[in-house]
Amino acid sequence: MDGTMDGTKAESAYYPESERLAELLARIGASLDDKVRNPPIDPYLTRAQWEHLAHEPVPLTPAPVDELVDELISLLIPNGGRVSDPGFWAFVTTAPTTAPLVAATAAALGAPVRYGFQAVNAIEERSLEWLGEIFGLPAHMKGLYSSGGSSANIVAMGAARQHAFEARGLDPARDGVTGTPCAFYVSPETHHTILRAAAVLGIGRSSVREIPVDDNLHIRTDLLAEAIDADIAAGVLPIAVIANAGATNTGTIDPLRAVATVAHDRGVWFHIDGAYGLPGYLDERVRPKYDGLELADSIIVDPHKWLSAPAGIGVTFVRDRTILLRAFTQGPADYLEGSFADDGRIGVSLDSPGIPYGDFGLELTAPSRGIQVWAILREQGVSGLTERIRRDNDFATYVARTATDDPRLESLTNPDLSVACIRYIGDGSHSNDELNELNRRIHRRLVRETEFLPSTTVVKGAYTIRPCFISPRATWPLIEAFLPTVVRLGDEEAAGSMP
Ligand SMILES: *Cc1c(COP(=O)(O)O)cnc(C)c1O
């Protein structure tokens, strides 16, 4: 360290500490390892600490980086949320494994953005091809990374909109959608980000048609066909049919081939939302449920869900990436194109723009996300990933079956994938409303007092406790301890206030 590290650093406005990265990252790494090894149950962020953080004034003078690293380690990392806990089973959220984190850190400085024909640009494309290959997509389907399922669905629906309008000789990207009534077709299990896609793309949330489901929560293809035919007869332009490959609520997989047939028979775009569930394809026991996958015009998956990539990584695959160019072009910009030579030279010095991901979707500047997916696949291989996916599916099956066998519990679903929906029913004397209230209280106590953090949902009118098993850190002993804890809390709550 030189003599300028005196805490005031008067001679420069900038304090790049990159030459100390190794040392600083080592300290952060030790703290993160510790959080993962010893996850705290009781939040120990005191109200005073929270107030301090929430009202911390803007720093007016520089401070040594060691000071902020100290605060990261003492205050922020340990109090940053429990998503990385082995028992965190809420929503479809988990924390990354080590390899993609390390790769993300490497990319943040080594290749911070994805453009240019450089090593990480090449890996971006290769990692997309790898994902397509392991999930059984046809080779002509090409991918694009974005920040997650929300944006991945918007990109896919933008392509669908372009396709539908172009079939009528119109260009919605150039001229807008004014004057053309349109529709999306979904099931009640479809993720609500599709509604947002409809809003953003000018289709309108009120033009999203919700088609009823059958007892297995699968979209009713007969009613789907009727709805599309009625719209066509009324002059409405159908934009896309959206099928679930792993609905968020229950993990259910729609009958993809049958849905594809209804859509394609009518010239309508067939989209599969596999944000959570596409990796389930790796489990050969479930694979037959993905029959028809190859018929998708677009399909999305979130590596930041079941693959445990760091948050902020979704993928859209489309049958033809040039339609994305037309749907999302930003028009040429002198400052961009002029800076590259594009003479076929491959090199790191603004030689070629590389693959123009910035023209395929919503983002121009974007991080190199592919290297993180590359790291996951390099570290675990298809066999490692498959083993994890199978294990997670086994967890859900075990929980559902055990709940079915225990007279004090009930399973509301027969899991397709790694989501279980169970509830406490006690001695059977309670009304549905009482059970909803009882299970709400059980859930509160689970997340406040135990190492289990499932979320909840409503299945067929029943408020259920919903563990979604995607955490790479979950273990069999933890899974086995879960339902006995639910029963214990349920018995206590039932005895306490519902005598
Ligand atoms: C999580 C999820 C989304 C939204 O993805 P984000 O990455 O949270 O934006 C969309 N569809 C499904 C099925 C999901 O599970």
Side-chain angles (χ1 to χ4, degrees):
M1 243 172 285
D2 60 33
T4 61
M5 290 290 298
D6 61 3
T8 58
K9 297 183 164 185
E11 67 262 29
S12 167
Y14 299 101
Y15 305 95
E17 293 282 357
S18 55
E19 75 276 12
R20 293 184 58 212
L21 258 183
E23 172 201 342
L24 298 172
L25 287 176
R27 291 187 59 204
I28 298 289
S31 166
L32 289 168
D33 275 344
D34 185 52
K35 177 175 164 69
V36 168
R37 256 187 237 114
N38 311 300
I41 288 182
D42 279 336
Y44 49 80
L45 184 68
T46 63
R47 176 58 64 173
Q49 284 175 323
W50 193 88
E51 292 287 338
H52 163 74
L53 290 169
H55 302 294
E56 192 178 358
V58 64
L60 296 178
T61 54
V65 68
D66 302 76
E67 245 177 51
L68 72 92
V69 169
D70 286 347
E71 194 157 322
L72 274 171
I73 290 170
S74 66
L75 192 54
L76 294 173
I77 291 172
N79 289 303
R82 295 177 57 187
V83 176
S84 52
D85 288 15
F88 189 92
W89 305 331
F91 318 116
V92 192
T93 315
T94 189
T97 48
T98 306
L101 259 187
V102 170
T105 308
L109 199 56
V113 288
R114 60 190 167 170
Y115 62 67
F117 237 137
Q118 34 88 7
V120 176
N121 184 259
I123 283 300
E124 184 103 343
E125 188 69 358
R126 195 62 190 127
S127 67
L128 288 163
E129 289 167 353
W130 279 356
L131 288 179
E133 188 177 326
I134 67 175
F135 297 146
L137 304 187
H140 61 255
M141 288 201 86
K142 294 286 183 211
L144 172 75
Y145 285 112
S146 63
S147 64
S150 304
S151 46
N153 270 332
I154 293 175
V155 169
M157 291 302 95
R161 185 186 70 166
Q162 196 68 20
H163 168 262
F165 275 71
E166 285 181 357
R168 284 196 180 180
L170 301 170
D171 182 355
R174 188 188 58 208
D175 300 322
V177 299
T178 320
T180 308
C182 307
F184 286 173
Y185 306 85
V186 303
S187 96
E189 295 296 301
T190 301
H191 199 270
H192 48 261
T193 49
I194 291 289
L195 286 170
R196 174 162 50 203
V200 168
L201 292 164
I203 311 300
R205 286 197 305 274
S206 63
S207 299
V208 177
R209 313 271 194 259
E210 200 174 276
I211 311 299
V213 288
D214 62 21
D215 281 348
N216 295 317
L217 304 175
H218 293 161
I219 192 167
R220 289 265 310 267
T221 48
D222 53 336
L223 299 180
L224 172 66
E226 277 175 26
I228 299 176
D229 290 340
D231 273 341
I232 292 174
V236 173
L237 179 61
I239 302 289
V241 172
I242 292 103
N244 299 298
T248 315
N249 256 342
T250 56
T252 189
I253 302 172
D254 280 318
L256 302 179
R257 184 171 298 281
V259 177
T261 304
V262 170
H264 286 166
D265 281 354
R266 291 157 180 81
V268 181
W269 188 273
F270 172 50
H271 174 64
I272 299 177
D273 188 342
Y276 151 52
L278 188 59
Y281 181 87
L282 290 173
D283 183 343
E284 276 170 25
R285 301 165 302 177
V286 195
R287 190 169 294 175
K289 296 195 167 139
Y290 292 83
D291 175 52
L293 194 70
E294 73 283 3
L295 300 172
D297 296 298
S298 57
I299 181 162
I300 71 157
V301 62
D302 269 351
H304 68 204
K305 288 180 171 163
W306 219 344
L307 299 189
S308 313
I313 309 187
V315 184
T316 308
F317 289 99
V318 286
R319 179 165 292 287
D320 170 11
R321 227 165 24 184
T322 60
I323 200 170
L324 293 181
L325 274 180
R326 300 197 297 278
F328 291 103
T329 181
Q330 39 184 339
D334 290 339
Y335 83 93
L336 274 181
E337 281 81 3
S339 302
F340 293 101
D342 220 0
D343 53 7
R345 207 181 125 109
I346 292 174
V348 299
S349 306
L350 296 189
D351 283 307
S352 151
I355 294 162
Y357 297 115
D359 291 319
F360 289 147
L362 301 167
E363 304 163 315
L364 179 56
T365 304
S368 296
R369 299 181 174 104
I371 191 171
Q372 302 170 52
V373 171
W374 169 87
I376 290 166
L377 278 153
R378 286 282 283 119
E379 187 199 29
Q380 300 177 44
V382 176
S383 66
L385 279 181
T386 303
E387 199 178 302
R388 255 195 59 208
I389 302 285
R390 285 176 64 95
R391 184 199 69 156
D392 290 346
N393 287 339
D394 286 345
F395 285 165
T397 308
Y398 168 83
V399 166
R401 192 179 309 135
T402 309
T404 302
D405 291 346
D406 188 325
R408 292 161 301 176
L409 295 169
E410 179 182 17
S411 172
L412 279 297
T413 59
N414 187 13
D416 277 341
L417 294 172
S418 68
V419 177
C421 294
I422 57 103
R423 67 173 176 173
Y424 176 85
I425 53 174
D427 60 11
S429 68
H430 305 287
S431 71
N432 193 55
D433 283 351
E434 284 170 345
L435 287 180
N436 288 353
E437 178 53 27
L438 197 47
N439 281 278
R440 203 166 311 200
R441 293 214 302 269
I442 295 169
H443 179 254
R444 271 301 90 200
R445 289 191 58 191
L446 276 174
V447 300
R448 289 203 179 132
E449 298 170 23
T450 78
E451 67 258 66
F452 306 109
L453 289 102
S455 51
T456 68
T457 192
V458 176
V459 180
K460 299 170 190 166
Y463 180 91
T464 74
I465 295 167
R466 173 195 167 282
C468 174
F469 300 108
I470 59 167
S471 170
R473 299 183 174 90
T475 60
W476 269 114
L478 202 57
I479 304 295
E480 282 158 4
F482 172 56
L483 289 180
T485 306
V486 172
V487 169
R488 174 177 65 77
L489 295 175
D491 287 347
E492 285 175 20
E493 287 298 318
S497 65
M498 293 181 194

